[in-house]
Structure formats: C-alpha cells, structure tokens
Amino acid sequence: MDDETSHIISPPNWTDTLNLSDYFEDSKPLKVDVGCGKGRFLLAKAEKSPDVNFLGIDRLLTRLRLIDKRITRRGIKNTKLLRIENSYAIQYLLPPESVSTFYIFFPDPWPKKRHHKRRMFNSEFLEQLRSRLTDNGIIHIATDHLGYFEEIEGLLKSHEGFRELESFVPTEDERTSFEIIFLKQNLTIGRCSYQKQ
C-alpha cells in the first residue's frame, strides 16, 4: 500500500534525517506516538487536534496498513506513519528539536531479567528523546509493568533535563487497545509525564 494514497512514509534514504516538510503540508507542532500499535490513541488524538501534525511509529506493517486505511476512511489530513524500530527512528530519522510531544504507551517490558537489556528505556534512549524534543517538549508514558515503570520514572526523576508534570490520562476514546485489555483485568497502570527544561 505504499502508493500515492498511502500515509506510510517511505524515505528515499533510511540513514538520513527526515525532512518533515516533505511529508507534512504545514509546519504545525509535531507529536509522535512511539509504538502506535493499532492506532486507536493516534487516530482519536489526530481527529481532535487538526492544528497538530502526528506521526505514528511501529515496526509491524500489518498494523500500519490497518491504521492507514482508517486515516483514509476518516479523512484525517494531519497524520503520517513510519514502519521502523522506535529507537532507530528517534536516534536517526527524527530531526533535533522537532517533536513537541512523545507518547510512549505500554513499551515491551521484557519481563524476564535476562532480557532487561532489551528494554527501550535507558539513559542513552532518554538523551535521544530529549535531543529530539523542542524547548519545553513533553514525554507521556504509561505501562502496566510496575517494575519497568519504576525504572523509567527513576531515570526521568534523576535527569536534570526534565521536570515532572501531572500525569497525562487519556480519555475513554483515546485508550489504546492494550490499555482497554489491562483495565478489564483490573491491572494498575503506571503513568508519568515529564517536560524538557
């Protein structure tokens, strides 16, 4: 579905920083849904905020194709999609100081101790996020894995480049598919929001 009507970005070179003006018609603030999944949050937010550009990143093409069809069906004009690993996109493709908000909901917790090194959040990843945020840019995070949440929040609390904000809580129509499942199971969801300073 990577044709003229597709909202899935196909950069000419996957090692160069994206020129966002090639993909978004207007220079509106950019908000990025990192690991956008089935797109429930992304599409709800984009429909409510036509004055903002949205980028959904996910590595699964089947998910992105589904979101792409929904974008077309709903006539959403301010949203693009990118099929690639999240950390690679942030480190190499997003321009410095280009993102006003990152939404990172339910990242893979890699719960087994021997797999913890595969977790997305670490000091290096946090620095990459910060470098891509605009002045006063914001990160919103949610996870059902409370051990991982404590690790993430510990990194953010100890970083002098961020200050804590009131946690972002999505409206009912913005809840991700994962969140809906977890809430039905009565699982506690850890949430935090931090602003670049």
Side-chain angles (χ1 to χ4, degrees):
M1 191 154 184
D2 295 328
D3 57 24
E4 293 175 4
T5 61
S6 178
H7 302 90
I8 301 173
I9 292 173
S10 294
N13 187 327
W14 288 93
T15 59
D16 291 341
T17 302
L18 295 176
N19 182 354
L20 295 174
S21 62
D22 289 346
Y23 306 102
F24 293 100
E25 294 177 10
D26 306 304
S27 56
K28 301 170 184 172
L30 177 65
K31 298 189 177 189
V32 178
D33 187 357
V34 179
C36 59
K38 297 179 181 177
R40 195 170 189 276
F41 171 80
L42 177 67
L43 298 182
K45 209 70 177 161
E47 285 184 312
K48 292 178 185 178
S49 308
D51 56 336
V52 174
N53 285 325
F54 287 87
L55 177 64
I57 303 172
D58 205 282
R59 62 184 178 83
L60 295 181
L61 184 57
T62 52
R63 288 179 181 170
L64 293 186
R65 284 182 170 156
L66 178 66
I67 300 169
D68 192 24
K69 288 177 184 176
R70 290 175 177 165
I71 290 172
T72 300
R73 192 164 56 241
R74 297 186 193 185
I76 297 171
K77 304 293 185 191
N78 59 339
T79 303
K80 298 294 181 186
L81 305 167
L82 187 60
R83 182 194 178 206
I84 199 161
E85 289 290 340
N86 298 317
S87 55
Y88 185 92
I90 292 164
Q91 183 173 1
Y92 296 108
L93 300 181
L94 293 177
E97 300 183 350
S98 63
V99 178
S100 68
T101 308
F102 281 110
Y103 300 99
I104 307 176
F105 298 150
F106 308 100
D108 192 333
W110 292 101
K112 293 181 180 177
K113 190 164 185 177
R114 69 178 184 272
H115 294 155
H116 283 190
K117 62 182 178 291
R118 298 182 187 177
R119 288 178 170 176
M120 184 165 59
F121 269 93
N122 54 41
S123 298
E124 182 182 350
F125 179 69
L126 193 55
E127 278 302 321
Q128 291 165 5
L129 286 175
R130 189 175 186 280
S131 72
R132 297 319 185 244
L133 285 170
T134 57
D135 289 341
N136 300 312
I138 297 171
I139 305 171
H140 298 300
I141 297 162
T143 177
D144 65 303
H145 193 286
L146 298 185
Y148 193 21
F149 177 73
E150 288 174 9
E151 184 180 318
I152 293 168
E153 196 169 40
L155 284 168
L156 284 156
K157 280 183 182 293
S158 64
H159 197 297
E160 294 181 355
F162 289 98
R163 71 179 186 91
E164 190 170 4
L165 302 175
E166 182 177 348
S167 299
F168 170 80
V169 179
T171 58
E172 188 173 348
D173 64 309
E174 294 171 352
R175 290 176 182 159
T176 69
S177 301
F178 279 123
E179 182 166 346
I180 291 168
I181 292 167
F182 298 144
L183 289 174
K184 284 180 181 176
Q185 296 173 357
N186 292 318
L187 295 177
T188 300
I189 295 175
R191 303 182 195 275
C192 62
S193 297
Y194 282 79
Q195 185 174 44
K196 178 179 174 178
Q197 59 178 9

